[in-house]
Amino acid sequence: MSTRIRRGPAFRPSHPGELIATALEGLDLPLSSAAKDLGITRQTLDGIIAGRSPVTPDIAARLGKLFGNGAGLWLRMQTIHDRWQG
């Protein structure tokens, strides 16, 4: 089943990095500590949060483990964002 994503000014799907930034802030978890917990560099995590880098399947699995919600959420968010960008 294919889902069409509508582009328009009324709807821009968030990059997963926006949710990651919000979650880390809510947990009061510094970026460097989160990167260490994820097993990635601070620069890699910063790139994702800034929306410059995508959430890869490997990173999605790590985020899912860190936040306790599985990889699916992060992969779906990235896919929807990518499709909207076109």
Side-chain angles (χ1 to χ4, degrees):
M1 180 173 165
S2 177
T3 304
R4 289 188 180 258
I5 304 299
R6 202 186 262 184
R7 277 200 222 183
F11 178 69
R12 181 189 68 81
S14 297
H15 186 279
E18 293 177 43
L19 181 57
I20 295 167
T22 301
L24 293 178
E25 185 177 307
L27 294 172
D28 198 27
L29 186 61
L31 191 64
S32 55
S33 296
K36 184 177 178 181
D37 291 346
L38 291 166
I40 60 176
T41 66
R42 185 185 179 287
Q43 291 79 12
T44 298
L45 184 55
D46 184 61
I48 294 168
I49 288 174
R52 293 186 309 268
S53 302
V55 171
T56 63
D58 179 54
I59 299 292
R62 294 168 188 240
L63 289 166
K65 186 174 180 180
L66 178 67
F67 294 120
N69 57 8
L73 168 72
W74 306 105
L75 290 174
R76 286 189 301 275
M77 284 185 73
Q78 186 66 55
T79 299
I80 289 168
H81 176 78
D82 291 348
R83 284 184 180 173
W84 189 86
Q85 294 292 344

Coordinates of all heavy atoms in Angstrom, one line a residue:
M1 N 0.8 -1.2 0.0 CA 0.0 0.0 0.0 C 0.9 1.2 0.0 O 1.8 1.4 0.8 CB -0.9 0.0 1.2 CG -1.8 1.2 1.3 SD -2.9 0.9 2.7 CE -3.5 2.4 3.0
S2 N 0.7 2.1 -0.9 CA 1.5 3.3 -1.1 C 0.7 4.5 -0.5 O -0.5 4.7 -0.7 CB 1.8 3.6 -2.6 OG 2.5 4.8 -2.7
T3 N 1.4 5.3 0.3 CA 0.8 6.5 0.9 C 1.4 7.7 0.2 O 2.6 7.8 0.1 CB 1.1 6.5 2.4 OG1 0.6 5.3 3.0 CG2 0.4 7.7 3.0
R4 N 0.5 8.6 -0.3 CA 1.0 9.8 -0.9 C 1.1 10.9 0.2 O 0.2 11.0 1.0 CB 0.1 10.3 -1.9 CG 0.1 9.4 -3.2 CD -0.7 10.1 -4.3 NE -0.7 9.3 -5.5 CZ 0.1 9.6 -6.5 NH1 0.8 10.7 -6.5 NH2 0.1 8.8 -7.6
I5 N 2.2 11.5 0.2 CA 2.4 12.6 1.2 C 2.2 13.9 0.4 O 2.7 14.2 -0.6 CB 3.9 12.6 1.7 CG1 4.2 11.3 2.4 CG2 4.0 13.7 2.7 CD1 3.3 10.9 3.5
R6 N 1.3 14.7 1.0 CA 0.9 16.0 0.4 C 1.9 17.1 0.8 O 2.2 17.2 2.0 CB -0.5 16.4 0.8 CG -1.1 17.3 -0.1 CD -2.4 17.7 0.5 NE -3.5 16.9 -0.1 CZ -4.8 17.1 0.2 NH1 -5.1 18.0 1.1 NH2 -5.7 16.4 -0.4
R7 N 2.4 17.8 -0.2 CA 3.3 18.9 0.2 C 2.5 20.1 0.2 O 1.5 20.3 -0.5 CB 4.3 19.1 -0.9 CG 5.5 18.2 -0.8 CD 6.6 18.8 -1.6 NE 7.3 17.8 -2.3 CZ 8.4 18.0 -3.0 NH1 8.9 19.2 -3.1 NH2 9.0 17.1 -3.6
G8 N 2.8 21.0 1.1 CA 2.1 22.3 1.2 C 2.5 23.0 2.4 O 3.1 22.4 3.4
P9 N 2.3 24.3 2.4 CA 2.7 25.1 3.6 C 2.0 24.7 4.9 O 2.5 25.0 6.0 CB 2.4 26.5 3.2 CG 1.4 26.4 2.1 CD 1.6 25.1 1.4
A10 N 0.9 24.1 4.8 CA 0.1 23.7 6.0 C 0.7 22.5 6.7 O 0.4 22.3 7.9 CB -1.4 23.5 5.7
F11 N 1.5 21.7 6.0 CA 2.0 20.5 6.6 C 3.4 20.2 6.2 O 3.6 19.9 5.0 CB 1.1 19.3 6.2 CG 1.5 18.0 6.8 CD1 1.4 17.7 8.1 CD2 2.0 17.0 6.0 CE1 1.9 16.5 8.7 CE2 2.4 15.8 6.5 CZ 2.4 15.6 7.8
R12 N 4.3 20.3 7.1 CA 5.7 19.9 6.9 C 6.0 19.0 8.0 O 6.1 19.3 9.1 CB 6.6 21.1 7.0 CG 8.1 20.7 6.7 CD 9.1 21.8 7.0 NE 9.2 22.2 8.4 CZ 9.9 21.5 9.3 NH1 10.6 20.4 8.9 NH2 10.0 21.9 10.6
P13 N 6.2 17.7 7.6 CA 6.6 16.7 8.6 C 7.9 17.1 9.3 O 8.8 17.5 8.7 CB 6.7 15.4 7.9 CG 6.1 15.6 6.5 CD 6.2 17.1 6.3
S14 N 7.9 16.9 10.6 CA 9.1 17.2 11.4 C 10.2 16.2 11.1 O 9.9 15.0 10.9 CB 8.8 17.1 12.9 OG 7.9 18.1 13.3
H15 N 11.4 16.7 11.0 CA 12.6 15.8 11.0 C 12.6 15.1 12.3 O 12.4 15.7 13.4 CB 13.8 16.6 10.7 CG 15.0 15.7 10.5 ND1 15.8 15.2 11.5 CD2 15.6 15.3 9.3 CE1 16.8 14.5 11.0 NE2 16.7 14.6 9.7
P16 N 13.0 13.8 12.4 CA 13.1 13.1 13.7 C 14.0 13.8 14.7 O 13.8 13.7 15.9 CB 13.6 11.7 13.3 CG 13.6 11.6 11.9 CD 13.3 12.9 11.3
G17 N 14.9 14.5 14.2 CA 15.9 15.3 15.0 C 15.2 16.2 16.0 O 15.6 16.5 17.1
E18 N 14.0 16.8 15.5 CA 13.3 17.7 16.3 C 12.7 17.0 17.6 O 12.7 17.6 18.7 CB 12.2 18.4 15.5 CG 12.7 19.3 14.4 CD 11.5 19.9 13.6 OE1 10.5 20.3 14.2 OE2 11.7 19.9 12.3
L19 N 12.2 15.8 17.4 CA 11.7 15.0 18.5 C 12.8 14.6 19.4 O 12.6 14.6 20.6 CB 10.9 13.9 18.0 CG 10.2 13.0 19.0 CD1 9.3 13.8 20.0 CD2 9.5 11.8 18.4
I20 N 13.9 14.2 18.8 CA 15.1 13.8 19.6 C 15.5 14.9 20.5 O 15.7 14.7 21.7 CB 16.2 13.3 18.8 CG1 15.9 12.1 18.0 CG2 17.5 13.1 19.6 CD1 16.8 11.7 16.8
A21 N 15.6 16.1 20.0 CA 16.0 17.3 20.8 C 15.0 17.5 21.9 O 15.5 17.8 23.1 CB 16.1 18.5 19.9
T22 N 13.8 17.4 21.6 CA 12.7 17.7 22.7 C 12.8 16.6 23.7 O 12.7 16.9 24.9 CB 11.3 17.7 22.0 OG1 11.3 18.7 21.1 CG2 10.2 17.9 23.1
A23 N 13.0 15.3 23.3 CA 13.1 14.2 24.3 C 14.3 14.4 25.2 O 14.2 14.2 26.4 CB 13.1 12.9 23.6
L24 N 15.4 14.7 24.6 CA 16.7 14.9 25.4 C 16.5 16.0 26.4 O 17.0 15.9 27.5 CB 17.9 15.1 24.5 CG 18.3 14.0 23.6 CD1 19.5 14.4 22.7 CD2 18.6 12.8 24.4
E25 N 15.9 17.1 25.9 CA 15.6 18.2 26.8 C 14.7 17.8 28.0 O 15.0 18.2 29.2 CB 15.0 19.4 26.1 CG 14.8 20.6 26.9 CD 14.2 21.8 26.0 OE1 14.8 22.1 25.0 OE2 13.2 22.3 26.5
G26 N 13.7 17.1 27.7 CA 12.8 16.6 28.7 C 13.4 15.7 29.7 O 13.1 15.6 30.9
L27 N 14.4 14.9 29.3 CA 15.1 14.0 30.1 C 16.3 14.7 30.8 O 17.0 14.1 31.6 CB 15.7 12.8 29.4 CG 14.6 11.9 28.8 CD1 15.3 10.8 27.9 CD2 13.9 11.2 29.9
D28 N 16.5 16.0 30.5 CA 17.7 16.7 31.0 C 19.0 16.0 30.7 O 19.9 15.9 31.5 CB 17.5 17.1 32.4 CG 18.4 18.2 32.9 OD1 18.8 19.1 32.1 OD2 18.8 18.2 34.1
L29 N 19.1 15.4 29.5 CA 20.2 14.6 29.1 C 21.0 15.4 28.1 O 20.6 15.8 27.0 CB 19.7 13.3 28.4 CG 20.8 12.3 28.0 CD1 21.5 11.8 29.3 CD2 20.1 11.1 27.3
P30 N 22.3 15.8 28.5 CA 23.1 16.6 27.6 C 23.4 15.8 26.3 O 23.5 14.6 26.3 CB 24.4 16.8 28.4 CG 24.0 16.5 29.8 CD 22.9 15.6 29.8
L31 N 23.7 16.6 25.2 CA 23.9 16.0 23.9 C 25.1 15.0 24.0 O 25.1 13.9 23.4 CB 24.2 17.1 22.9 CG 24.3 16.7 21.4 CD1 22.9 16.2 21.0 CD2 24.7 17.9 20.6
S32 N 26.2 15.4 24.6 CA 27.4 14.5 24.7 C 27.1 13.2 25.4 O 27.5 12.2 25.0 CB 28.5 15.3 25.4 OG 28.2 15.7 26.6
S33 N 26.3 13.3 26.5 CA 25.9 12.1 27.2 C 25.0 11.2 26.4 O 25.2 10.0 26.4 CB 25.2 12.4 28.5 OG 26.0 13.1 29.4
A34 N 24.1 11.8 25.7 CA 23.2 11.0 24.8 C 23.9 10.3 23.7 O 23.7 9.2 23.4 CB 22.1 11.9 24.2
A35 N 24.9 11.1 23.1 CA 25.7 10.5 22.0 C 26.5 9.3 22.6 O 26.6 8.2 21.9 CB 26.6 11.5 21.5
K36 N 27.0 9.4 23.8 CA 27.8 8.3 24.4 C 26.9 7.1 24.6 O 27.2 6.0 24.3 CB 28.4 8.8 25.7 CG 29.3 7.8 26.3 CD 30.0 8.3 27.6 CE 30.8 7.2 28.2 NZ 31.4 7.7 29.5
D37 N 25.7 7.4 25.1 CA 24.7 6.3 25.4 C 24.3 5.6 24.1 O 24.0 4.4 24.1 CB 23.5 6.8 26.1 CG 23.7 7.3 27.5 OD1 24.8 7.0 28.1 OD2 22.8 8.0 28.1
L38 N 24.2 6.4 23.0 CA 23.9 5.8 21.7 C 25.0 5.1 21.0 O 24.8 4.4 20.0 CB 23.3 6.9 20.8 CG 22.0 7.5 21.2 CD1 21.7 8.8 20.5 CD2 20.8 6.5 21.0
G39 N 26.2 5.4 21.5 CA 27.4 4.8 20.8 C 27.8 5.5 19.5 O 28.3 4.9 18.6
I40 N 27.5 6.8 19.4 CA 27.8 7.6 18.2 C 28.5 8.8 18.7 O 28.6 9.2 19.8 CB 26.5 8.0 17.4 CG1 25.5 8.8 18.3 CG2 25.8 6.7 16.9 CD1 24.3 9.3 17.5
T41 N 29.1 9.6 17.7 CA 29.8 10.8 18.0 C 28.8 11.9 18.3 O 27.6 11.9 17.8 CB 30.7 11.2 16.9 OG1 29.9 11.6 15.8 CG2 31.7 10.2 16.6
R42 N 29.2 12.9 19.0 CA 28.4 14.1 19.3 C 28.1 14.8 18.0 O 27.0 15.3 17.8 CB 29.2 15.0 20.3 CG 28.3 16.2 20.7 CD 29.2 17.1 21.6 NE 28.4 18.3 22.0 CZ 28.0 19.3 21.2 NH1 28.3 19.2 19.9 NH2 27.3 20.3 21.7
Q43 N 29.0 14.8 17.1 CA 28.8 15.5 15.8 C 27.7 14.8 15.0 O 26.9 15.4 14.3 CB 30.1 15.5 15.0 CG 31.2 16.4 15.6 CD 31.9 15.8 16.7 OE1 31.9 14.6 17.0 NE2 32.7 16.6 17.4
T44 N 27.7 13.4 15.1 CA 26.7 12.7 14.4 C 25.3 13.0 14.9 O 24.3 13.3 14.2 CB 26.9 11.2 14.5 OG1 28.1 10.9 13.8 CG2 25.8 10.4 13.8
L45 N 25.2 13.0 16.3 CA 23.9 13.3 16.9 C 23.5 14.8 16.6 O 22.3 15.1 16.3 CB 24.0 13.1 18.4 CG 22.7 13.3 19.2 CD1 21.5 12.4 18.6 CD2 22.9 12.9 20.6
D46 N 24.5 15.7 16.7 CA 24.2 17.1 16.4 C 23.6 17.3 14.9 O 22.7 18.0 14.7 CB 25.4 17.9 16.6 CG 25.2 19.4 16.4 OD1 24.3 20.0 17.1 OD2 25.8 20.0 15.5
G47 N 24.2 16.5 14.0 CA 23.7 16.6 12.6 C 22.3 16.1 12.5 O 21.5 16.7 11.7
I48 N 22.0 15.1 13.2 CA 20.6 14.5 13.2 C 19.6 15.6 13.8 O 18.6 15.9 13.2 CB 20.5 13.2 13.9 CG1 21.3 12.1 13.1 CG2 19.0 12.8 14.0 CD1 21.5 10.8 13.8
I49 N 20.0 16.1 14.9 CA 19.1 17.0 15.6 C 18.9 18.3 14.8 O 17.8 18.9 14.7 CB 19.7 17.4 17.0 CG1 19.5 16.2 17.9 CG2 19.1 18.6 17.6 CD1 20.1 16.3 19.3
A50 N 20.0 18.7 14.1 CA 19.9 19.9 13.2 C 19.2 19.6 11.9 O 18.9 20.6 11.2 CB 21.3 20.4 12.9
G51 N 18.9 18.4 11.6 CA 18.2 18.0 10.4 C 19.1 17.9 9.2 O 18.6 17.8 8.1
R52 N 20.4 17.9 9.4 CA 21.3 17.8 8.3 C 21.6 16.4 7.9 O 22.1 16.1 6.8 CB 22.7 18.5 8.7 CG 22.6 20.0 8.9 CD 24.0 20.6 9.1 NE 24.7 19.9 10.1 CZ 24.8 20.3 11.4 NH1 24.0 21.3 11.8 NH2 25.5 19.6 12.3
S53 N 21.4 15.5 8.9 CA 21.7 14.0 8.7 C 20.4 13.2 8.9 O 19.6 13.6 9.8 CB 22.8 13.6 9.6 OG 23.9 14.3 9.4
P54 N 20.2 12.1 8.2 CA 19.0 11.3 8.4 C 19.2 10.3 9.6 O 20.3 10.1 10.0 CB 18.9 10.5 7.1 CG 20.3 10.4 6.7 CD 21.0 11.7 7.1
V55 N 18.1 9.8 10.1 CA 18.1 8.7 11.0 C 18.2 7.4 10.2 O 17.3 7.1 9.4 CB 16.9 8.7 11.9 CG1 16.8 7.5 12.7 CG2 16.9 10.0 12.8
T56 N 19.3 6.8 10.3 CA 19.5 5.5 9.6 C 18.9 4.4 10.4 O 18.6 4.5 11.5 CB 21.1 5.2 9.4 OG1 21.6 5.1 10.7 CG2 21.8 6.3 8.7
P57 N 18.7 3.2 9.7 CA 18.2 2.1 10.5 C 19.0 1.7 11.7 O 18.4 1.4 12.8 CB 18.2 0.9 9.5 CG 18.0 1.6 8.2 CD 18.8 2.9 8.3
D58 N 20.3 1.8 11.7 CA 21.1 1.5 12.8 C 20.9 2.6 13.9 O 20.7 2.2 15.1 CB 22.6 1.6 12.4 CG 23.5 1.3 13.6 OD1 23.3 0.3 14.3 OD2 24.4 2.1 13.8
I59 N 20.9 3.8 13.6 CA 20.6 4.9 14.6 C 19.2 4.7 15.1 O 19.0 4.9 16.3 CB 20.8 6.3 14.0 CG1 22.3 6.5 13.5 CG2 20.4 7.4 14.9 CD1 23.3 6.5 14.6
A60 N 18.2 4.4 14.3 CA 16.9 4.2 14.7 C 16.8 3.1 15.8 O 16.1 3.3 16.8 CB 15.9 3.9 13.6
A61 N 17.5 2.0 15.6 CA 17.5 1.0 16.6 C 18.1 1.4 17.9 O 17.6 1.1 19.0 CB 18.3 -0.2 16.1
R62 N 19.2 2.2 17.8 CA 19.8 2.8 19.0 C 18.9 3.7 19.7 O 18.8 3.7 21.0 CB 21.1 3.5 18.7 CG 22.2 2.5 18.1 CD 23.3 3.2 17.5 NE 24.2 2.3 16.8 CZ 25.5 2.2 17.2 NH1 26.1 2.9 18.2 NH2 26.3 1.4 16.5
L63 N 18.2 4.6 19.0 CA 17.3 5.6 19.6 C 16.1 4.8 20.2 O 15.7 5.2 21.3 CB 16.7 6.5 18.5 CG 17.7 7.6 18.0 CD1 17.1 8.2 16.7 CD2 18.0 8.6 19.0
G64 N 15.6 3.8 19.6 CA 14.5 3.0 20.1 C 14.9 2.3 21.4 O 14.1 2.3 22.3
K65 N 16.1 1.9 21.5 CA 16.6 1.3 22.8 C 16.8 2.3 23.8 O 16.3 2.1 25.0 CB 17.9 0.6 22.5 CG 18.4 -0.2 23.7 CD 19.7 -1.0 23.3 CE 20.1 -1.8 24.6 NZ 21.3 -2.6 24.3
L66 N 17.3 3.5 23.5 CA 17.5 4.6 24.5 C 16.2 5.1 25.0 O 16.1 5.3 26.2 CB 18.3 5.7 23.8 CG 18.6 6.9 24.8 CD1 19.5 6.6 25.9 CD2 19.1 8.1 23.9
F67 N 15.2 5.3 24.1 CA 14.0 5.9 24.6 C 12.9 4.8 24.9 O 11.8 5.2 25.4 CB 13.4 6.9 23.5 CG 14.3 8.1 23.3 CD1 14.9 8.4 22.1 CD2 14.5 8.9 24.4 CE1 15.7 9.5 21.9 CE2 15.3 10.1 24.2 CZ 15.9 10.3 23.0
G68 N 13.2 3.6 24.6 CA 12.3 2.5 24.9 C 11.0 2.4 24.1 O 10.0 1.9 24.5
N69 N 11.2 2.9 22.8 CA 10.0 2.9 21.9 C 10.2 2.1 20.6 O 9.4 2.2 19.7 CB 9.5 4.3 21.6 CG 10.6 5.2 21.0 OD1 11.7 4.7 20.7 ND2 10.3 6.4 20.9
G70 N 11.4 1.5 20.4 CA 11.6 0.7 19.2 C 12.1 1.6 18.1 O 12.0 2.8 18.1
A71 N 12.6 1.0 17.1 CA 13.1 1.7 15.9 C 12.1 2.2 14.9 O 12.3 3.1 14.2 CB 14.1 0.7 15.1
G72 N 10.9 1.6 14.9 CA 9.8 1.9 14.0 C 9.4 3.3 13.9 O 9.3 3.9 12.8
L73 N 9.3 4.0 15.1 CA 8.9 5.4 15.1 C 9.9 6.2 14.4 O 9.5 7.1 13.6 CB 8.8 5.8 16.6 CG 8.6 7.3 16.8 CD1 7.3 7.8 16.4 CD2 8.9 7.7 18.2
W74 N 11.1 6.0 14.7 CA 12.2 6.9 14.1 C 12.3 6.6 12.6 O 12.5 7.6 11.8 CB 13.5 6.6 14.8 CG 13.3 6.8 16.3 CD1 13.3 5.8 17.2 CD2 13.1 8.0 17.0 NE1 13.0 6.4 18.5 CE2 13.0 7.7 18.3 CE3 13.1 9.4 16.6 CZ2 12.8 8.7 19.3 CZ3 12.9 10.3 17.5 CH2 12.8 10.0 18.9
L75 N 12.2 5.4 12.2 CA 12.2 5.1 10.7 C 11.0 5.7 10.0 O 11.2 6.2 8.9 CB 12.3 3.6 10.5 CG 13.6 3.0 10.9 CD1 13.6 1.5 10.8 CD2 14.8 3.5 10.1
R76 N 9.9 5.6 10.6 CA 8.6 6.1 9.9 C 8.8 7.6 9.8 O 8.4 8.2 8.8 CB 7.4 5.7 10.7 CG 7.0 4.3 10.5 CD 5.6 4.0 11.0 NE 5.5 4.2 12.5 CZ 5.9 3.4 13.4 NH1 6.4 2.2 13.1 NH2 5.7 3.7 14.7
M77 N 9.2 8.3 10.9 CA 9.3 9.7 10.8 C 10.3 10.2 9.8 O 10.1 11.1 9.0 CB 9.8 10.3 12.2 CG 8.8 10.3 13.3 SD 9.4 11.1 14.8 CE 9.4 12.8 14.2
Q78 N 11.4 9.4 9.6 CA 12.4 9.8 8.6 C 11.9 9.6 7.2 O 12.1 10.4 6.3 CB 13.7 9.0 8.8 CG 14.8 9.4 7.9 CD 15.3 10.8 8.2 OE1 15.7 11.1 9.3 NE2 15.3 11.6 7.2
T79 N 11.2 8.5 7.0 CA 10.6 8.2 5.7 C 9.6 9.2 5.3 O 9.6 9.7 4.2 CB 9.9 6.8 5.7 OG1 10.9 5.8 6.0 CG2 9.3 6.4 4.4
I80 N 8.7 9.6 6.2 CA 7.7 10.6 5.9 C 8.3 11.9 5.6 O 8.0 12.6 4.6 CB 6.7 10.7 7.1 CG1 5.8 9.5 7.1 CG2 5.8 12.0 6.9 CD1 5.0 9.3 8.4
H81 N 9.3 12.3 6.4 CA 10.1 13.6 6.1 C 10.7 13.5 4.8 O 10.6 14.5 4.0 CB 11.1 13.8 7.2 CG 12.0 15.0 7.0 ND1 11.5 16.2 7.3 CD2 13.2 15.1 6.6 CE1 12.5 17.1 7.0 NE2 13.5 16.4 6.6
D82 N 11.4 12.4 4.4 CA 12.1 12.3 3.2 C 11.1 12.3 2.0 O 11.4 13.0 1.0 CB 12.9 11.0 3.1 CG 14.1 11.0 4.0 OD1 14.4 12.0 4.6 OD2 14.6 9.9 4.3
R83 N 10.0 11.7 2.1 CA 9.0 11.7 1.0 C 8.5 13.1 0.8 O 8.2 13.5 -0.3 CB 7.9 10.7 1.3 CG 8.2 9.3 1.1 CD 7.0 8.4 1.3 NE 7.4 7.0 1.1 CZ 6.6 6.0 1.4 NH1 5.3 6.3 1.8 NH2 6.9 4.8 1.2
W84 N 8.2 13.8 1.9 CA 7.7 15.1 1.7 C 8.7 16.1 1.1 O 8.4 16.9 0.2 CB 7.3 15.7 3.1 CG 6.6 17.0 3.0 CD1 5.3 17.2 2.9 CD2 7.2 18.3 3.1 NE1 5.0 18.5 2.8 CE2 6.1 19.3 3.0 CE3 8.5 18.8 3.2 CZ2 6.3 20.6 3.0 CZ3 8.7 20.2 3.2 CH2 7.6 21.1 3.1
Q85 N 10.0 15.9 1.4 CA 11.1 16.7 0.8 C 11.1 16.4 -0.7 O 11.6 17.3 -1.5 CB 12.4 16.4 1.5 CG 12.5 16.8 2.9 CD 12.5 18.3 3.1 OE1 12.7 19.1 2.2 NE2 12.2 18.7 4.3
G86 N 10.7 15.2 -1.1 CA 10.6 14.9 -2.5 C 11.9 14.6 -3.2 O 12.2 14.6 -4.3

